[in-house]
Amino acid sequence: MRVLIAGAGAIGQWLGSQLNEAHHDVTLLTTQRHVDAFAVEGLCVRGLSNSCWYPATATSAEALGDEPAFEASVLPAKAHNTAHLAEATPPRLAADGVFLRRPREAHKVIA
């Protein structure tokens, strides 16, 4: 499955690594700083899986060029990035694709 992860913070990096290990085609939509670092050092997620890989990356939907549409897009970004990334991802999603985002108020604990 082709998956676009819009936001490569801790959750996006971990999710991308897990999907990559499961042999999915993952692209991270992230900042130029991350793009540059991943190109040189790769992306290593340490913990239970200790996964290291060189992810496909982009800094904008336009930077993805003419790549085929994604079958799934995930938006794990924090609130201050959500609006920008939510606007950038749908144009790259296949007509029958799935768009998942972090629920509002996910940071609150419900007792």
Side-chain angles (χ1 to χ4, degrees):
M1 177 185 330
R2 293 199 75 234
V3 181
L4 176 64
I5 298 180
I11 295 171
Q13 291 178 24
W14 176 83
L15 181 58
S17 293
Q18 295 298 302
L19 290 168
N20 179 66
E21 284 186 354
H23 307 288
H24 294 285
D25 180 6
V26 179
T27 298
L28 301 176
L29 182 62
T30 187
T31 63
Q32 188 63 51
R33 182 175 62 102
H34 279 139
V35 169
D36 295 343
F38 297 157
V40 173
E41 302 169 11
L43 170 58
C44 292
V45 176
R46 305 283 185 218
L48 295 176
S49 65
N50 291 320
S51 169
C52 290
W53 59 302
Y54 285 86
T57 57
T59 56
S60 68
E62 294 80 25
L64 295 169
D66 295 329
E67 290 188 34
F70 293 90
E71 296 160 299
S73 180
V74 181
L75 180 59
K78 294 182 179 88
H80 65 278
N81 289 325
T82 301
H84 163 71
L85 291 171
E87 290 175 7
T89 55
R92 301 302 307 152
L93 192 60
D96 61 346
V98 175
F99 180 69
L100 303 169
R101 71 171 180 85
R102 180 179 166 178
R104 292 185 71 155
E105 309 299 328
H107 63 281
K108 291 185 178 178
V109 177
I110 300 173

